[in-house]
Amino acid sequence: MTYFQSLSAAGFIATAISYGPARMGFGLFVPEFRDSFSMSSSAVGVVSSLGFLGMFFGLLLAQALLTRRGPELPVLLGLFAAMFGLTLVAAAPSVPVLAIGVFIAASSAGFAWTPFNDAVNRKVPDFDRPAALSEISTGTSIGIVAAGIAALALMATDLSWRTTWTLFAAAAAVALVVNWAALRHVERGELGPDHDWRRLLQSDALPLYVIAFVLGFVSSVYISFAGDHLRQTGGVPGLPATAMPAVLFLLYGLFGLPAVMTSRVRQQVGLPWLLRGLLVAGGLSVASLAIAPAHWGGLILSAGLQGLFVMMLSALLSFWSERLFPSLPSLGFTAALLAAAAGSVLGPALAGVLLDRFSATAMFLAAAMLPALTAVLLRRHHVQERPAGAVV
């Protein structure tokens, strides 16, 4: 195996754990958490938002560690946080402990991805970077598929959800060892003037941050409430309602797998049109939950479009930020993910309040408007792939 392959594989595994069960596991198991802890929709939204807040702080700390210690330490710390947080959730006796576990586990999503942009930038030739970054980001799909399969197995065997989360923690421990082996030879970068956050405050980068915010907002609402909504509406013909969250997340992950081709698709259709298409897909995905929650067509359309929206747009953010800030590969991506994390913190908390006061239909339709309006307002001149502030 070449170093390019081993680095891509390590990043793939790290994102599979941190962006799979550690970040999305709470939404997958909301029905079980409601039953175990008598949680309202507002409480679900708050705990979910706390998880995404953990990701926000993880991003900040990861960047500080990266510039001083290189990519190995933040990635390993993130996977340790995933292991510890998942274990804490598995043993949680109350909502406060559950919230702390979700916060710690989800912080791994902040620690364990952005350092790979730095490692890929220094270890992988320019021609291979988009492919490597796409492969790393697509690890999320496998993590979600695995979590969905685990949830189906839980239902089929009548095991406790706590057992499933213990297995998630064990998988995080394996990922920790794999990434230690792959990253211990990646040297620390030099800290210098290029690591100045003020250089990211360029007007050319504003569309990157706006679209990242929209991604975070919409995906977090979907992750937090879609599965539980489908279960409460009775599901689709031929499946028990209790299986709906697992089936939804399984389809979500499977349809996200084509994101590994994001770099090639962008070359064929161009970044502006690909962004518009993905934003429309994200809006339709959420709207489908409100319009056709009890039909197979609505389920497949919703989960499939959401998978493409999240996975492909995440990959785009990765190499779009790398192109805008070539001398700041990890810092630029961190800024984009901070914008996504800000949307993720706001989305579930606001959606939970709307859900308690109005209805799921109204809440999902309102959430669908955000990516739809962004797609309408997006213009070709808004999208830059040249270095921010460069003269052309």
Side-chain angles (χ1 to χ4, degrees), residues 125-143:
D126 183 73
F127 177 79
D128 290 326
R129 285 175 194 165
L133 294 172
S134 292
E135 289 175 13
I136 290 169
S137 66
T138 310
T140 301
S141 293
I142 295 299

Side-chain angles (χ1 to χ4, degrees), residues 284-295:
L284 287 175
S285 169
V286 179
S288 296
L289 292 172
I291 298 170
H295 299 279

Side-chain angles (χ1 to χ4, degrees), residues 215-236:
L215 169 64
F217 189 102
V218 175
S219 65
S220 65
V221 171
Y222 194 93
I223 290 166
S224 302
F225 296 105
D228 188 52
H229 171 64
L230 291 176
R231 178 174 175 172
Q232 290 189 24
T233 55
V236 297

Side-chain angles (χ1 to χ4, degrees), residues 200-214:
L200 302 176
L201 302 178
Q202 303 283 346
S203 60
D204 292 344
L206 181 59
L208 171 71
Y209 302 144
V210 170
I211 290 174
F213 179 89
V214 172

Side-chain angles (χ1 to χ4, degrees), residues 103-118:
F103 177 90
I104 295 173
S107 71
S108 66
F111 280 109
W113 187 3
T114 55
F116 280 100
N117 262 42
D118 181 83

Side-chain angles (χ1 to χ4, degrees), residues 22 50-51 54-55 78 80-86 88 98-109 111:
L50 283 173
M55 175 184 169
F80 178 81
M83 180 181 66
F84 181 71
L86 292 168
L88 197 59
L98 173 71
I100 293 171
V102 170
F103 177 90
I104 295 173
S107 71
S108 66
F111 280 109

